[in-house]
Amino acid sequence: MGSSTCNPFALTSHPFVTGFKSPKLSHSRRRLNGSQRASKVTAYYGLKETPYKLDALEPYMSKRTLEKHWGEHHRGYVEGLNKHLEKDDILYGYTLDELVKVTYNNGNPLPEFNNAAQVWNHDFFWESMQPGGGDMPKYGVLDQIEKDFGSFTNFREKFIESALSLFGSGWVWLVVKREERRLAIVKTSNAINPLVWDDIPIISLDMWEHAYYLDYKNDRAKYVNVFMNHLVSWNAAMSRMGRAEAFVNLGEPKIPVA
Ligand SMILES: [Fe+2]
């Protein structure tokens, strides 16, 4: 997919911007009694650019929605996370995946969790869509979906039903369940993502109102159907499934996904 170098909202001039999995050290030292020094160490995360231009998903997801959703909401989560991290050196050095799991704290989330998870969720969501997306997956992804859901039609119906039955804000996911060694659909409330249960996410759909209101008002059904028909990236699903298969044996028949 093309780069988003024309993206006017990119935070490229931010002095602390780093790749989202590469927190960067910022040392601020203050002198104590001449030779003594205390070192404050802080990890900063950057706003990752969308993998396409902000108008690339039109007419199904408008540039205006991306400007608000990515340029304001996603940016706000990054800034909120960094504000938290400024106060807590203990959390330095984690990748974003690790930070999400650690701050979930076995179901008693630390204050950093919501922002950390929402940064991860949005990075993943943008890459779960592509211009010219939708339709059906191919090859191994399709075979695995048919194996685990009976048919693609059945999977599609279950995914849509899960999205529409989600109460309030949250997310719907296609994941690989490590223990069960199969694909499954899960829905999560607010910022929670399935990493905290050790699932491997394959596709996500943002069901927060800010994701669809400008384009679809309250018509969540239309938004979800458009996602399935025109936006979901089965290419991303294929590469994510390929990585998942390095960790999970999905059983027989062995289905190559890439
Ligand atoms: Fe969102």
Side-chain angles (χ1 to χ4, degrees):
M1 277 175 274
S3 79
S4 51
T5 50
C6 298
N7 189 331
F9 291 84
L11 248 179
T12 49
S13 62
H14 193 293
F16 302 120
V17 164
T18 68
F20 84 113
K21 284 186 177 179
S22 305
K24 187 178 177 181
L25 269 178
S26 170
H27 293 269
S28 68
R29 295 175 187 277
R30 56 198 165 84
R31 287 192 175 277
L32 296 173
N33 299 328
S35 61
Q36 281 184 294
R37 284 181 170 181
S39 177
K40 180 169 168 47
V41 180
T42 308
Y44 288 92
Y45 291 88
L47 176 64
K48 194 177 179 189
E49 292 189 20
T50 54
Y52 32 72
K53 292 181 183 174
L54 298 185
D55 62 358
L57 300 179
E58 289 193 337
Y60 306 112
M61 190 174 282
S62 66
K63 181 181 180 186
R64 202 164 145 245
T65 286
L66 268 285
E67 285 172 350
K68 293 285 271 186
H69 193 175
W70 176 81
E72 295 181 21
H73 292 281
H74 188 173
R75 181 189 302 272
Y77 297 128
V78 172
E79 291 173 352
L81 174 61
N82 286 333
K83 274 198 188 116
H84 275 297
L85 293 177
E86 280 173 2
K87 299 178 203 153
D88 194 348
D89 294 354
I90 293 168
L91 294 170
Y92 167 71
Y94 289 111
T95 65
L96 192 54
D97 300 48
E98 290 165 342
L99 193 60
V100 168
K101 290 184 198 175
V102 166
T103 58
Y104 184 64
N105 194 30
N106 297 315
N108 295 298
L110 305 181
E112 295 83 358
F113 174 75
N114 283 336
N115 282 303
Q118 283 292 73
V119 173
W120 195 100
N121 293 345
H122 284 87
D123 287 339
F124 192 85
F125 177 54
W126 305 130
E127 292 178 0
S128 292
M129 298 184 287
Q130 66 172 81
D135 203 10
M136 285 178 71
K138 293 177 184 162
Y139 314 120
V141 175
L142 179 59
D143 292 341
Q144 192 68 43
I145 284 175
E146 288 176 340
K147 181 179 161 188
D148 293 334
F149 296 96
S151 68
F152 178 74
T153 304
N154 196 31
F155 156 76
R156 191 180 179 285
E157 279 175 11
K158 277 188 162 32
F159 192 93
I160 291 172
E161 184 187 300
S162 293
L164 298 182
S165 61
L166 180 72
F167 182 76
S169 298
W171 299 80
V172 183
W173 309 79
L174 174 64
V175 301
V176 171
K177 290 270 180 196
R178 290 180 196 257
E179 297 273 306
E180 294 92 330
R181 300 191 307 161
R182 55 160 293 158
L183 289 168
I185 295 165
V186 298
K187 51 186 174 181
T188 60
S189 291
N190 300 318
I192 293 175
N193 81 37
L195 286 181
V196 302
W197 302 307
D198 215 21
D199 295 338
I200 303 175
I202 302 298
I203 288 293
S204 72
L205 174 59
D206 189 337
M207 291 303 295
W208 285 58
E209 193 180 79
H210 63 222
Y212 57 83
Y213 191 77
L214 282 177
D215 293 329
Y216 300 102
K217 298 292 182 274
N218 289 320
D219 194 346
R220 283 157 70 102
K222 190 169 183 190
Y223 165 66
V224 175
N225 275 278
V226 164
F227 175 80
M228 292 304 289
N229 293 340
H230 301 287
L231 293 172
V232 60
S233 175
W234 292 117
N235 292 337
M238 187 178 294
S239 64
R240 288 163 175 171
M241 284 280 295
R243 285 198 294 275
E245 281 199 322
F247 300 98
V248 182
N249 180 351
L250 292 169
E252 299 299 332
K254 191 79 184 157
I255 298 171
V257 295

